[in-house]
Amino acid sequence: MKTKSFLSVAMLLALFFPMNAYAQASFGKSSLFNDGWTFVRDDVEGAEAPAFNDSRWMPVRLPHDWSVKGTLSPDNASCTGYLPAGIGWYRKHFSASDFPLEKTFIYFEGVYNRSSVYLNGHLLGERPSGYASFIYDMTPYLNRSGDNVLAVRVDHSRKADSRFYTGSGIYRNVWLISSGETHFALWGVGYATVSLTPQQAVVRVDTQVEGPIPASAKLVLTLKDDAGNMVAKSVTKAAVKQNVDLKVKAPHRWDMDDPYMYTLEAALISGKNELDRAEVKAGIRTLAFDPNTGFALNGVNRKVKGVCLHHDAGVLGAVVPEEVWERRLLNLKAIGTNAIRTAHNPQTPVLYDLCDKLGLLVMDEAFDEWEYNKKKWVEGWNIGTPAMEGTADFFNEWGERDVTDMVRRDRNHPSIFLWSIGNEVDYPNDPYSHPILDGGNFEFNQPMSGGYKPDAPDAMRIGVIAKRLAACVRAADPSRPVTGALAGVAMSNQTAYPEAVDVVGYNYSENRYEKDHATYPDRIIYGSENSSGYDAWKAVRDNEFIFGQFIWTGIDYIGESRAWPSRGFYSGLLDLAGNIKPRGRMRAAMWCEDPVCYIGTYPKPQPRPDRRRPMGDSSDAWDTWNYEEGQIIRVVCYTNAAQARLLLDGKEVGAMTPFNDQTGIIGWDVPYKAGVLKAEGYDASGKKVSEYEIRTALRPASLRAMADRNELAAGGLVHVAVEVLDDNGNLVPLGDNEITCMVEGPARLLGMESANNTDMGNWNDNVQRAYRGRLLAYVRTGTDPGTIKVRFTSPYIKGSEVEIVTLSAF
């Protein structure tokens, strides 16, 4: 008898798609579909038609954000960073003759916004959310021979539809996914830790299958450690939906200090055929929340030291490469951060992967507004007449699906510990109102709220919607608590909102912690959005029942801009280039266990009788030592040492001073004299534990360029930091020299970031001014190996060059 040879579905997938390609879809085999697109920023009639002539459109490689490539103008909305929006079209021609399997899908990680996707003139679907990931089955309209045309219309004509910068276009990855007729559903493989002891963990895997299931089909689940060794396995009869428990002996826990990851493999097997396979990273850990003792990870109580993050990166806009996110997250960890909040929408999948890898907790947030649009400032933050554009028009139709998709997409990340259904949807009179806002009932923010407005939407609606959204979250993932970030706590306390969620976030409401803890003893409370002030941290540090805070913000961001010229909001612990700012150094002194010492300076403030309160020590002082001889300078020290002293050229000019727990700052007033200024931190026994020094800088004399990597695989990204130096090799903090970047070899310049919030010039060329003596260049290497030279020049001073070697990616 002749033996029949065959290729399994999995073998065909591996043959036609590279093994290192991976979309967070949990089925089939994926390949990036980012190359070969064309784009036009115009609403072109008939652009969905296959025969449409797009030969004069601009070639682009996805991801692509057309807003950040546009011209800054005061005629654009301040809320979105004075950058343009509009309508655009994308088209891609491709052949499907070599697609090996029955089913072909197109998967978008994110399109901002109101997208319509066409294949060969047929509408595949529309998705209004700019942050949701979504998929379409292309199989019915795919030409297996001949040309195929994928066309995407993006409608961001509502230019002031967000309080923050959004970007415009297909700004996240696009994937081609191929599968057999029978496959796991989109995000159809999940897991949760059911029980955990040092001896054993029980991991419950849930699966969902689409397509006909052969009677002989088996579901094979395998859990492997980080060395590839199998630690648990299960073989059961396949079903449309099922839960299977895996028992893991001596489990290695995922923790913030040890973010250990397993690999979960799920396969559908029928006879000798593998119908589909999914692979997800898995972390075994437990979460616990208590109204009196706060939050515990793996049974150990932890204070959450979190920051709020938007999804842009300055000159890069909404297209933020993985390497940029990693550098930023590492800098946040360096100052003590252990958690992030995705303010205020789901973010790119790679961000969650990095948080899993780095041991950062994540509060994943779905919405900034629900059924009504919020005010959007268009002439500057809190200036003029706000616009009322937004996303509320599709909330009732899409809100429940959007939040469900967020949870299903992201639920396999052990870093996620909270699901947030909304941010400040209860802001008093924006739009909801309640009688509690009138008179003496409303304990804070009354001038801003303007009192009760009977004609405004009834605040009781908030509780109704919160219950609906929370039910969606719990149905998709019962293993984590639901939260919301409340802006009007006093008003929301009159509604069902706090009871609809499991953990209640308080935005800028530290003054209510103790009172509400007493009034609502079963309520779990934390700071979901907080200022970077010392008192806000003490409210967490000194109250066991408050488990943490999220600072506004972790990083400066585009949008929510002040009056022109202003790129965005400047409250970050890191600047737009991802560098640590003085307030980040102050935060490190509050949050870090290792010794911290930093000094910043500014002219001593003059008393002002018109001020209600005396001028306090600044928590945002830069480390500059260049002033007029004899000028009285305030020197502030951010430290976690018990005491500190100040020296100038080795001589004590500031006496040993104990740490001030009222302000968190040690300060001295000294007459300026050029030299080396140093602070030394000491413990209570008098032992020196830390120090920090700054020097008087001379005039700019040269540039110094430093690449974070001098060798990498082709297709990677390099950060090149440029500093303006004096003749002695010291940084010149006042250096604002114009710098030109030239790239030679297989690479291109993505952008140059000065971190200057008032720089409203051209962000897309190769000439930028330094700011505070620094500039950062983002260089993307090409697909070919070779040697790259990145050269920086500036008039009248010596330039600098770095050499980077790129290796073959395979």
Side-chain angles (χ1 to χ4, degrees):
M1 184 177 70
K2 186 177 181 179
T3 302
K4 183 178 181 181
S5 63
F6 60 89
L7 285 174
S8 71
V9 168
M11 292 169 67
L12 282 166
L13 289 167
L15 190 64
F16 284 89
F17 296 94
M19 288 300 293
N20 61 341
Y22 171 72
Q24 196 176 23
S26 300
F27 81 98
K29 197 66 183 179
S30 53
S31 176
L32 276 172
F33 214 52
N34 289 339
D35 291 329
W37 290 80
T38 58
F39 167 74
V40 66
R41 187 185 155 200
D42 194 5
D43 193 12
V44 182
E45 185 176 353
E48 74 278 10
F52 181 87
N53 183 2
D54 57 15
S55 62
R56 301 186 68 177
W57 287 17
M58 180 176 69
V60 295
R61 186 182 191 278
L62 305 181
H64 176 248
D65 173 7
W66 82 66
S67 286
V68 80
K69 299 298 184 182
T71 302
L72 291 145
S73 170
D75 294 332
N76 295 322
S78 61
C79 56
T80 49
Y82 296 108
L83 284 161
I87 297 176
W89 278 88
Y90 296 84
R91 282 168 59 91
K92 178 180 172 73
H93 296 257
F94 64 98
S95 171
S97 60
D98 59 351
F99 288 3
L101 299 173
E102 296 98 326
K103 308 272 294 181
T104 305
F105 302 84
I106 191 73
Y107 177 71
F108 294 86
E109 289 185 357
V111 182
Y112 203 93
N113 63 346
R114 302 176 189 267
S115 63
S116 305
V117 180
Y118 301 85
L119 176 65
N120 297 326
H122 300 278
L123 178 66
L124 296 180
E126 298 175 318
R127 193 63 181 255
S129 170
Y131 299 100
S133 297
F134 55 94
I135 195 167
Y136 298 124
D137 185 354
M138 297 197 296
T139 311
Y141 308 111
L142 202 62
N143 295 325
R144 291 288 175 174
S145 60
D147 189 38
N148 289 274
V149 180
L150 195 63
V152 182
R153 181 180 185 267
V154 183
D155 181 0
H156 191 195
S157 55
R158 300 162 178 81
K159 66 178 182 180
D161 64 346
S162 171
R163 296 193 295 152
F164 319 98
Y165 181 76
T166 60
S168 301
I170 309 177
Y171 70 102
R172 294 181 185 166
N173 287 323
V174 178
W175 299 85
L176 187 73
I177 299 178
S178 189
S179 79
E181 192 69 30
T182 302
H183 58 86
F184 292 110
L186 175 65
W187 311 313
V189 177
Y191 74 94
T193 304
V194 176
S195 64
L196 178 59
T197 68
Q199 293 75 36
Q200 178 177 277
V202 177
V203 178
R204 181 161 297 161
V205 181
D206 64 275
T207 60
Q208 183 176 344
V209 177
E210 292 183 352
I213 303 177
S216 63
K218 303 293 184 183
L219 171 67
V220 181
L221 300 174
T222 307
L223 190 68
K224 296 181 178 180
D225 64 19
D226 66 355
N229 302 309
M230 185 180 70
V231 297
K233 185 174 182 179
S234 169
V235 181
T236 58
K237 183 177 176 60
V240 175
K241 290 184 178 182
Q242 62 191 111
N243 295 326
V244 177
D245 286 350
L246 296 177
K247 295 182 179 180
V248 184
K249 293 183 178 179
H252 194 150
R253 306 179 186 209
W254 183 95
D255 209 311
M256 289 187 280
D257 303 318
D258 182 17
Y260 187 89
M261 299 289 287
Y262 292 87
T263 299
L264 173 64
E265 297 176 355
L268 291 171
I269 307 292
S270 180
K272 295 183 178 180
N273 289 310
E274 186 175 89
L275 304 178
D276 196 15
R277 172 177 290 272
E279 181 179 296
V280 299
K281 294 295 183 181
I284 298 175
R285 52 97 181 103
T286 61
L287 307 172
F289 295 83
D290 185 273
N292 296 310
T293 59
F295 165 68
L297 177 64
N298 296 323
V300 178
N301 279 85
R302 306 292 294 262
K303 288 292 188 182
V304 171
K305 303 168 182 177
V307 296
C308 302
L309 291 183
H310 282 305
H311 75 161
D312 70 275
V315 297
L316 301 178
V319 180
V320 185
E322 178 180 359
E323 297 93 336
V324 175
W325 269 125
E326 183 165 23
R327 176 177 176 270
R328 289 173 162 224
L329 293 176
L330 286 171
N331 280 346
L332 286 170
K333 277 184 67 77
I335 59 174
T337 303
N338 63 19
I340 70 164
R341 173 190 179 203
T342 64
H344 301 290
N345 303 93
Q347 298 208 17
T348 182
V350 73
L351 178 65
Y352 305 91
D353 292 337
L354 287 169
C355 289
D356 292 342
K357 169 186 170 182
L358 299 176
L360 288 165
L361 296 172
V362 177
M363 171 179 166
D364 207 4
E365 193 154 69
F367 306 110
D368 188 47
E369 56 192 22
W370 289 349
E371 62 178 353
Y372 292 100
N373 293 328
K374 292 179 179 176
K375 297 172 183 175
K376 313 297 191 307
W377 301 104
V378 294
E379 302 172 52
W381 188 61
N382 284 345
I383 297 173
T385 303
M388 296 302 294
E389 295 176 336
T391 57
D393 59 297
F394 58 78
F395 175 79
N396 287 331
E397 179 181 358
W398 287 94
E400 293 182 31
R401 180 173 175 180
D402 284 346
V403 73
T404 299
D405 284 357
M406 176 189 79
V407 175
R408 284 182 56 79
R409 188 196 74 168
D410 297 341
R411 63 194 170 127
N412 290 331
H413 293 283
S415 55
I416 295 176
F417 79 125
L418 287 171
W419 301 116
S420 172
I421 58 175
N423 169 66
E424 295 183 346
V425 294
D426 62 334
Y427 202 90
N429 290 325
D430 189 13
Y432 297 101
S433 197
H434 189 279
I436 195 72
L437 302 181
D438 260 347
N441 292 326
F442 195 49
E443 297 179 357
F444 67 97
N445 238 6
Q446 185 177 344
M448 189 176 292
S449 74
Y452 175 50
K453 297 182 179 179
D455 296 333
D458 185 357
M460 302 306 286
R461 285 282 300 159
I462 301 171
V464 174
I465 298 171
K467 287 181 179 179
R468 207 171 73 218
L469 296 177
C472 292
V473 174
R474 295 184 183 112
D477 176 29
S479 73
R480 298 173 177 88
V482 183
T483 189
L486 279 58
V489 180
M491 183 176 78
S492 284
N493 280 342
Q494 309 304 310
T495 77
Y497 189 8
E499 284 68 45
V501 298
D502 306 301
V503 180
V504 186
Y506 281 37
N507 283 14
Y508 307 103
S509 300
E510 293 86 358
N511 62 332
R512 294 199 65 91
Y513 287 172
E514 292 189 12
K515 178 180 180 179
D516 280 15
H517 179 58
T519 306
Y520 310 100
D522 295 328
R523 180 179 294 182
I524 302 168
I525 302 172
Y526 71 104
S528 44
E529 187 172 316
N530 309 84
S531 76
S532 57
Y534 190 59
D535 286 344
W537 169 240
K538 288 171 64 178
V540 177
R541 184 196 69 183
D542 298 343
N543 289 295
E544 185 182 14
F545 64 91
I546 301 297
F547 69 75
Q549 64 173 182
F550 287 88
I551 300 302
W552 191 264
T553 56
I555 309 175
D556 291 347
Y557 57 92
I558 307 175
E560 206 170 21
S561 305
R562 309 288 178 166
W564 177 279
S566 172
R567 298 170 67 186
F569 216 68
Y570 205 60
S571 61
L573 306 179
L574 311 185
D575 64 23
L576 286 166
N579 299 317
I580 301 172
K581 294 166 58 179
R583 64 179 58 195
R585 306 290 182 183
M586 174 76 174
R587 185 60 37 180
M590 300 183 208
W591 282 356
C592 288
E593 298 295 328
D594 293 333
V596 172
C597 187
Y598 169 92
I599 48 174
T601 68
Y602 51 92
K604 180 183 178 181
Q606 297 300 313
R608 283 177 49 185
D610 59 321
R611 291 184 63 91
R612 297 181 183 177
R613 295 179 296 176
M615 176 74 76
D617 287 330
S618 172
S619 60
D620 203 16
W622 291 88
D623 50 353
T624 300
W625 192 236
N626 280 80
Y627 296 96
E628 295 292 331
E629 191 79 15
Q631 185 178 3
I632 302 300
I633 303 302
R634 174 73 50 87
V635 181
V636 290
C637 180
Y638 311 149
T639 184
N640 53 10
Q643 52 189 341
R645 66 171 184 158
L646 187 68
L647 299 94
L648 180 61
D649 292 333
K651 179 181 178 181
E652 184 174 280
V653 292
M656 188 75 76
T657 305
F659 180 80
N660 184 346
D661 198 41
Q662 295 301 310
T663 65
I665 296 172
I666 298 173
W668 306 270
D669 291 332
V670 299
Y672 172 75
K673 179 183 177 183
V676 179
L677 189 69
K678 178 193 288 188
E680 296 178 339
Y682 292 78
D683 64 17
S685 69
K687 178 184 176 182
K688 187 170 78 170
V689 293
S690 58
E691 63 180 31
Y692 190 90
E693 69 176 37
I694 57 179
R695 295 169 178 266
T696 301
L698 306 177
R699 293 180 180 275
S702 64
L703 300 178
R704 177 171 61 193
M706 300 166 290
D708 62 349
R709 291 183 291 172
N710 293 105
E711 187 176 281
L712 72 160
L717 183 137
V718 178
H719 298 85
V720 184
V722 183
E723 295 179 340
V724 180
L725 306 180
D726 66 12
D727 277 329
N728 296 322
N730 299 320
L731 178 74
V732 182
L734 303 180
D736 64 349
N737 302 64
E738 183 178 271
I739 298 173
T740 299
C741 175
M742 300 297 292
V743 179
E744 176 186 318
R748 61 192 176 96
L749 178 67
L750 296 185
M752 299 168 70
E753 179 59 72
S754 70
N756 184 353
N757 190 48
T758 61
D759 177 8
M760 311 305 282
N762 183 358
W763 299 354
N764 299 305
D765 63 12
N766 66 331
V767 181
Q768 298 291 335
R769 283 195 172 277
Y771 181 63
R772 297 190 183 276
R774 291 186 169 93
L775 189 68
L776 181 69
Y778 300 104
V779 178
R780 169 70 75 189
T781 64
T783 56
D784 297 326
T787 300
I788 299 161
K789 293 183 179 180
V790 186
R791 185 176 299 109
F792 298 90
T793 58
S794 182
Y796 311 114
I797 65 175
K798 184 179 178 181
S800 184
E801 179 181 293
V802 295
E803 187 172 290
I804 302 160
V805 176
T806 59
L807 309 174
S808 174
F810 302 102

